[in-house]
Amino acid sequence: MKHSFVLKAGWNGGRNSDGQIETGNLRTQISIPKEMGGPGVGTNPDEMLLGAAATCYLITLAAMMERSHLPVHELSLESEGIVDVTDNIFTYVSITHKPHIVLARDATAKDVETADRLAHKAEGSCMISRAVSGNVALATEPKIETVTE
């Protein structure tokens, strides 16, 4: 089975203008970020690639932990994307996911080990990660703990 995703976009001028995109439930303005000499209106391709990679990773990890019956109390994620600009050439260098997994108070040492294994495995199972693999370095730095209260 194949799924089709359609995005519509409009642009209001030259390099330092802005535009808008619409796809599914996402409707937002776009431009080049201020850090790269643009107007910084709305979001930008760098944030959107990071957002796609992060949400795909997070959903994949949550599904894997659910299938493994891990006693997850809380799951959150911080992801960082690094873009290099050398000689006016923009290169997306790396994406690092830092999941914070909090397991229930009754979690076992084996549960903690499984959570760590799945945190690393989810990266290779996510379709966005597979799409950019070989072009962007991918890393995972999980923090796993159990409820202490």
Side-chain angles (χ1 to χ4, degrees), residues 67-134:
R67 283 191 299 270
S68 294
H69 305 288
L70 284 179
V72 178
H73 177 73
E74 185 179 322
L75 174 61
S76 60
L77 177 67
E78 178 179 313
S79 295
E80 179 182 21
I82 303 294
V83 175
D84 177 67
V85 182
T86 302
D87 297 329
N88 213 26
I89 297 172
F90 295 73
T91 305
Y92 219 110
V93 177
S94 67
I95 295 174
T96 302
H97 297 303
K98 300 173 185 176
H100 183 198
I101 303 166
V102 180
L103 299 175
R105 186 175 302 122
D106 61 346
T108 65
K110 183 176 178 177
D111 290 335
V112 172
E113 181 182 306
T114 299
D116 185 66
R117 182 177 55 78
L118 294 178
H120 291 282
K121 185 177 180 181
E123 186 70 69
S125 300
C126 163
M127 74 172 178
I128 302 298
S129 297
R130 289 192 321 266
V132 301
S133 182

Side-chain angles (χ1 to χ4, degrees), residues 20-52:
Q20 62 285 330
I21 60 168
E22 181 177 321
T23 180
N25 292 321
L26 176 64
R27 290 171 185 78
T28 190
Q29 290 198 253
I30 57 170
S31 74
I32 295 173
K34 283 186 179 182
E35 300 84 359
M36 295 179 176
V41 175
T43 191
N44 57 70
D46 311 284
E47 290 173 343
M48 289 180 24
L49 180 59
L50 180 60

